[in-house]
Amino acid sequence: MAMPSRLHLLSLAALAFAGVVAPDDAFAQGFPPVVPTPAQVRPAVDQAITQLMAAPKVQKVLDALKADHARTVDDLKMLTEIEAPPFKEQKRAEAFLARLRALGLADAKIDAEGNVIGLRKGSGGGPKLVVTAHLDTVFPAGTDVKVKERDGKLYAPGISDDTRALTVLLSWLKALNDSDVQTVGDLLFVASVGEEELGNLRGMKRLFADHLDIDGMVGLEPVPDGGVLILGTGSHRHEVTFKGPGGHSYAAFGQVPSAIHAMGRAIAKIAEVRTPASPKTTFTVGTVSGGTSVNTIAPDAKMAIDIRSDAMAPLLETEKKILATIDESVAEENRRWNVDTLSASARLIGDRPGGMTPASSAIVETAVRANTAFGQQTLLSGASTDANVPMSLGIPTIVIGGGGKTGGFHALGEWIDVTEAWKGAQNSLVTVLGLVGVQGVSQPLLEKRAPRSR
Amino acid sequence: MAMPSRLHLLSLAALAFAGVVAPDDAFAQGFPPVVPTPAQVRPAVDQAITQLMAAPKVQKVLDALKADHARTVDDLKMLTEIEAPPFKEQKRAEAFLARLRALGLADAKIDAEGNVIGLRKGSGGGPKLVVTAHLDTVFPAGTDVKVKERDGKLYAPGISDDTRALTVLLSWLKALNDSDVQTVGDLLFVASVGEEELGNLRGMKRLFADHLDIDGMVGLEPVPDGGVLILGTGSHRHEVTFKGPGGHSYAAFGQVPSAIHAMGRAIAKIAEVRTPASPKTTFTVGTVSGGTSVNTIAPDAKMAIDIRSDAMAPLLETEKKILATIDESVAEENRRWNVDTLSASARLIGDRPGGMTPASSAIVETAVRANTAFGQQTLLSGASTDANVPMSLGIPTIVIGGGGKTGGFHALGEWIDVTEAWKGAQNSLVTVLGLVGVQGVSQPLLEKRAPRSR
């Protein structure tokens, strides 16, 4: 889960996910979700989840998850203690791949971007659902990732975001295999790279470019029980550099354009850009720097721009307006001094697509109904995660939790309390099984889509 | 002489003063001065200088200057090796004061700002002329100021700018006293503080505030033989700081103004300010910085503005226009988000008044005619020096050299070649004697002015 983006969430419920407010408090205090939770679900969803919860075979899987708890915690410690800084996920990927293979996905592999991918085929004719967790953490190489136990909690950088989720994927696989459960649709197990920060979701971008037949995705993140992320705010970031010849403020005056003046012209125009309130679309020039000295016509200036939106169309439209101000401003500054010696260039430094899964979609209703089965009220919220990629493609996608109480993400004090964490793993697996269906028990709730074209 | 400001000079002759181009080359290549040198001088000027050059008493003084050369070089080494960083001129001031007293100005003293001041009274009824050099250098405390001799040159930080001039004042005083020359007008010997950089001419500002009866000034700087500075470009510098509450680029969007956006609005307006070509008036936003991160609405931003003019009125008018953009931009940014949480404040960080002594004035013609007497062609140019203060007050003021070839100002490799340097000291003293007159030889060419009011 990308922290800075998580703060997108607007609602203080977001802070609950960040561990600032305990999730229960967040719910108790009635913080508004991004959209209301559906009061009812369609009959097919209700029927499928009812069938699953009643099926002895499914009950056996859920019991297996509970019984696997201690082993899962061992996996958690093992994987957490393998560093996985941005762009350096390989060692952890290899350890995860070895586990996937040992647990029955012999053909699992690491793709060209570094994602670990293993397919558990269904009985046929069903949808293909990706279930994911991300390998990378925000922590640089050399961070102390030794797991420490204190006051009933496990402390270590990255332990809850997102290593717990990696172990839930493994536990699901083991329980399904040990209980001989045959899903109708395919499950594509993915441990992704590049979810955090400058990774810019490179793992997911590659996955969805390589696999055009994915019908839906369930991402696992340290979301508290009952939480369902359906909004993935997209963001594009640009660093814009202005360059001119520079010169003495008095001697060269009138002959030389100013990189700072051109940038100021651009910022003034950007400050007046208008964006829709819904889908919420925002922008800011977050940082500026430039110039040599007070008495030098600036030869250089630089600014970093952040543009975000809950939907791709207004994101791209706002970006277009903002980038247009750069060229206009350069032209104005050159015209002011009758020269052509000033130029500017923009570099994309952040690229997270975005989108939203409708609250009324089957995938969301499935999660809502599964939550109900586990006594959890649903909160529909948003964050910037791997899910942004499929959401931007219109592929049904949700992000849910894998159990445990968590907090301190992106800080050295990150922690997880694994007490009864299996309950979260059970709850989310029922959602997944509802979507792909279980042979002899329920039909898939996720629809097969026409394959995307390249 | 203030280096950055010296680059004002527009003409490449400026570079000659900076030692980049040898002065002779500068002349030879015909670089244009800021205004043409008068082809003729008024008869009174011609007559006075002719009388002075012919007078045995004056010739005796000039011979005394030549004879004093070696002692002057000793003074130069002694004073150069007493550090005088900005705002830390006191030790050198005390040494200079001791010399002034020893050479006959028993009542010399250090004023409240730190200037050394000694009055050599005339016979009465004449003008009061200030003759100055500045004590301070640009070099910070701890700089190696030991004088090194190499290839016939003396090397040391500050040796030519402006320590040589200090020794010329002392040599003039000794020669006048030894030769029993009585001037008609008064000579106020001043070694000033605060000429360089952030000193902002504090010594001169104080001198002209304390002494309302000064009729003219001759400043000594490392100007090559024949050079006469008549233009003192004024400058005002402001540091403007914008402050707002800051906030997350997405979560707080719409509720929080941006310090960077407000600053950009101001810069865009400043970029369109128009100034007169003559008196040349210039401006630039030289440096900018601000913001916390790309995804934070900036809580702060800062810019440094340089405004210059060859005359005070357009300087002040341009400053007014520029400062007005700050308030307008703050108001616009607050209005954009319907808040009042953004503010800005400007701090004056540079304050050098400016002005120009007309090329047709008696003081300039006196220098031109004295140069002719020494076989020197005159180049009328400009710089930012102590002379800016009296120029801004309309008091007849010129800056001339004190002899020697000089270069490398404001760099650790600063040097002076004192070969025949006495010739420059003679030439400039004749200019001074022309202005104040010598009893029994010539009438003062400098007019007495009505005292200024406080």
Side-chain angles (χ1 to χ4, degrees):
Chain A
M1 187 163 351
M3 262 314 261
S5 306
R6 179 137 20 79
L7 291 175
H8 288 188
L9 297 184
L10 235 198
S11 76
L12 279 176
L15 297 179
F17 296 168
V20 175
V21 176
D24 291 346
D25 291 348
F27 285 103
Q29 293 170 38
F31 294 116
V34 291
V35 295
T37 302
Q40 289 195 309
V41 300
R42 63 201 72 184
V45 168
D46 187 55
Q47 187 190 343
I49 301 297
T50 303
Q51 287 166 337
L52 286 167
M53 293 303 289
K57 182 174 271 190
V58 171
Q59 201 54 54
K60 195 176 161 200
V61 174
L62 300 184
D63 290 344
L65 284 178
K66 180 176 178 181
D68 194 37
H69 177 70
R71 196 203 56 77
T72 298
V73 173
D74 289 343
D75 264 2
L76 179 61
K77 290 176 181 168
M78 181 273 288
L79 287 170
T80 299
E81 292 180 359
I82 301 171
E83 289 185 83
F87 297 96
K88 292 176 187 162
E89 301 99 337
Q90 195 180 344
K91 277 185 71 179
R92 186 182 283 191
E94 283 163 2
F96 188 84
L97 175 65
R99 268 285 190 276
L100 263 195
R101 286 179 171 167
L103 294 173
L105 295 185
D107 294 339
K109 61 182 177 65
I110 296 180
D111 74 8
E113 193 68 40
N115 301 305
V116 184
I117 301 183
L119 180 66
R120 188 175 190 273
K121 285 199 72 69
S123 57
K128 179 181 275 187
L129 179 73
V130 176
V131 289
T132 68
H134 62 88
L135 290 161
D136 55 320
T137 74
V138 296
F139 301 98
T143 302
D144 178 5
V145 291
K146 182 87 190 151
V147 178
K148 280 146 192 131
E149 205 155 353
R150 204 167 66 240
D151 307 328
K153 291 176 184 168
L154 299 176
Y155 288 84
I159 194 164
S160 54
D161 182 13
D162 194 25
T163 320
R164 162 66 185 169
L166 292 170
T167 69
V168 171
L169 291 183
L170 295 172
S171 192
W172 284 354
L173 179 61
K174 183 177 190 309
L176 290 172
N177 286 350
D178 290 354
S179 310
D180 244 348
V181 167
Q182 177 69 59
T183 57
V184 179
D186 298 341
L187 284 174
L188 193 64
F189 286 79
V190 174
S192 68
V193 294
E195 196 267 351
E196 300 284 7
E197 302 183 342
L198 293 178
N200 276 325
L201 313 183
R202 65 192 176 93
M204 281 292 120
K205 287 173 185 169
R206 182 64 185 234
L207 182 79
F208 283 88
D210 287 352
H211 301 263
L212 302 174
D213 60 347
I214 296 170
D215 300 301
M217 173 168 139
V218 173
L220 291 178
E221 288 273 10
V223 176
D225 294 340
V228 180
L229 309 188
I230 62 169
L231 169 65
T233 301
S235 66
H236 281 189
R237 292 174 177 175
H238 293 271
E239 184 180 85
V240 184
T241 306
F242 297 79
K243 292 262 177 223
H248 189 269
S249 65
Y250 179 90
F253 185 82
Q255 304 151 46
V256 167
S258 160
I260 285 176
H261 290 197
M263 183 168 80
R265 292 172 189 269
I267 295 171
K269 292 178 203 294
I270 292 168
E272 287 297 328
V273 166
R274 305 285 153 156
T275 56
S278 177
K280 182 168 179 177
T281 304
T282 71
F283 62 89
T284 203
V285 179
T287 60
V288 290
S289 64
T292 304
S293 73
V294 62
N295 62 331
T296 300
I297 298 171
D300 49 51
K302 202 188 293 194
M303 63 179 174
I305 309 170
D306 181 70
I307 311 165
R308 302 190 183 214
S309 180
D310 293 347
M312 282 311 284
L315 179 72
L316 296 176
E317 196 182 335
T318 303
E319 180 178 48
K320 198 174 151 190
K321 282 183 195 165
I322 285 174
L323 291 180
T325 70
I326 313 298
D327 289 341
E328 286 167 27
S329 301
V330 166
E332 280 175 16
E333 179 66 10
N334 276 327
R335 205 156 50 231
R336 172 73 176 85
W337 307 108
N338 201 22
V339 294
D340 62 357
T341 45
L342 194 96
S343 62
S345 60
R347 191 164 66 90
L348 190 70
I349 56 172
D351 178 12
R352 292 176 172 258
M356 188 163 177
T357 302
S360 62
S361 61
I363 193 169
V364 175
E365 289 190 1
T366 302
V368 170
R369 180 62 185 82
N371 284 347
T372 305
F374 282 81
Q376 298 290 347
Q377 279 211 304
T378 297
L379 176 73
L380 300 182
S381 195
S384 174
T385 68
D386 269 350
N388 282 39
V389 173
M391 284 174 180
S392 76
L393 298 170
I395 296 171
T397 304
I398 56 172
V399 175
I400 53 182
K405 291 198 162 136
T406 56
F409 313 136
H410 294 207
L412 292 174
E414 186 171 336
W415 58 269
I416 187 166
D417 176 352
V418 293
T419 310
E420 301 195 329
W422 69 81
K423 289 185 179 173
Q426 291 174 333
N427 186 341
S428 47
L429 181 59
V430 168
T431 301
V432 166
L433 294 179
L435 292 170
V436 291
V438 173
Q439 219 192 4
V441 178
S442 68
Q443 290 301 306
L445 292 168
L446 186 65
E447 283 187 11
K448 268 187 79 69
R449 298 161 54 87
R452 286 174 296 124
S453 54
R454 220 173 272 275
Chain B
M1 187 164 350
M3 258 317 259
S5 306
R6 178 134 25 75
L7 292 175
H8 288 188
L9 298 183
L10 236 198
S11 73
L12 278 176
L15 297 178
F17 294 173
V20 175
V21 177
D24 291 345
D25 290 349
F27 284 104
Q29 292 169 37
F31 294 115
V34 291
V35 293
T37 302
Q40 289 195 312
V41 300
R42 64 200 72 185
V45 169
D46 187 57
Q47 186 189 348
I49 300 297
T50 302
Q51 287 165 339
L52 288 167
M53 293 302 288
K57 183 173 272 192
V58 173
Q59 201 53 53
K60 193 176 162 199
V61 174
L62 301 185
D63 289 345
L65 284 179
K66 180 176 178 181
D68 194 38
H69 177 71
R71 196 202 55 78
T72 298
V73 173
D74 289 343
D75 264 4
L76 179 61
K77 290 175 182 170
M78 181 274 288
L79 287 170
T80 299
E81 292 180 0
I82 301 171
E83 287 186 84
F87 297 95
K88 291 177 186 161
E89 301 99 336
Q90 196 180 344
K91 276 185 70 180
R92 186 182 284 191
E94 284 163 1
F96 187 85
L97 175 64
R99 268 285 189 275
L100 263 194
R101 286 178 172 167
L103 293 173
L105 297 185
D107 294 339
K109 62 184 176 67
I110 295 179
D111 74 8
E113 193 66 42
N115 301 307
V116 183
I117 301 183
L119 180 66
R120 187 173 192 274
K121 284 198 72 71
S123 56
K128 179 182 276 190
L129 179 72
V130 177
V131 290
T132 69
H134 62 89
L135 290 161
D136 56 320
T137 74
V138 296
F139 301 98
T143 300
D144 178 6
V145 290
K146 183 83 190 155
V147 178
K148 281 146 192 129
E149 205 153 351
R150 205 168 64 239
D151 307 328
K153 292 176 183 169
L154 299 176
Y155 287 84
I159 194 165
S160 54
D161 182 13
D162 195 27
T163 320
R164 161 66 186 171
L166 292 170
T167 68
V168 171
L169 291 183
L170 295 173
S171 192
W172 283 355
L173 179 61
K174 182 176 190 308
L176 290 171
N177 286 351
D178 289 353
S179 310
D180 244 348
V181 168
Q182 178 68 60
T183 57
V184 179
D186 297 341
L187 284 174
L188 192 63
F189 285 79
V190 174
S192 68
V193 294
E195 196 265 353
E196 301 284 6
E197 301 182 344
L198 294 177
N200 275 326
L201 312 183
R202 64 192 176 91
M204 279 294 119
K205 288 173 184 169
R206 181 63 184 235
L207 182 80
F208 282 88
D210 287 351
H211 300 264
L212 303 173
D213 60 347
I214 295 171
D215 299 300
M217 173 169 138
V218 172
L220 292 179
E221 288 273 9
V223 176
D225 294 339
V228 179
L229 309 189
I230 62 169
L231 169 65
T233 301
S235 66
H236 281 189
R237 291 173 178 177
H238 293 271
E239 184 179 83
V240 184
T241 306
F242 296 80
K243 292 261 178 222
H248 190 270
S249 65
Y250 179 91
F253 185 83
Q255 304 151 46
V256 166
S258 160
I260 285 176
H261 290 196
M263 183 168 80
R265 291 172 190 271
I267 295 170
K269 292 179 203 296
I270 292 169
E272 287 296 327
V273 166
R274 306 284 153 155
T275 56
S278 176
K280 182 169 179 176
T281 303
T282 71
F283 61 89
T284 204
V285 179
T287 60
V288 291
S289 62
T292 303
S293 71
V294 63
N295 61 332
T296 300
I297 297 171
D300 49 49
K302 202 188 294 192
M303 64 179 174
I305 308 170
D306 181 71
I307 310 166
R308 303 189 182 215
S309 179
D310 293 347
M312 282 311 283
L315 179 72
L316 296 175
E317 196 182 335
T318 303
E319 180 178 48
K320 198 174 153 190
K321 283 184 196 166
I322 285 174
L323 292 179
T325 70
I326 313 297
D327 290 340
E328 286 167 29
S329 301
V330 165
E332 281 175 17
E333 180 66 10
N334 276 326
R335 205 156 51 231
R336 171 74 176 84
W337 308 107
N338 201 23
V339 295
D340 62 356
T341 45
L342 193 98
S343 63
S345 61
R347 190 166 66 88
L348 189 70
I349 56 171
D351 178 11
R352 291 174 174 259
M356 189 163 175
T357 301
S360 61
S361 61
I363 193 170
V364 175
E365 290 189 2
T366 302
V368 170
R369 180 62 185 81
N371 285 346
T372 305
F374 282 81
Q376 297 291 345
Q377 277 211 305
T378 297
L379 175 73
L380 300 182
S381 195
S384 174
T385 68
D386 270 350
N388 281 37
V389 173
M391 283 175 182
S392 76
L393 298 170
I395 295 172
T397 305
I398 55 173
V399 176
I400 53 182
K405 289 196 164 133
T406 55
F409 313 136
H410 294 208
L412 293 174
E414 187 172 335
W415 58 268
I416 186 166
D417 176 353
V418 293
T419 309
E420 299 195 330
W422 69 80
K423 288 186 181 174
Q426 291 174 333
N427 186 341
S428 46
L429 181 58
V430 169
T431 300
V432 166
L433 294 179
L435 292 169
V436 291
V438 174
Q439 219 191 6
V441 178
S442 69
Q443 289 300 308
L445 292 168
L446 186 67
E447 283 187 12
K448 267 187 81 67
R449 297 160 55 87
R452 285 172 298 124
S453 54
R454 222 173 271 274

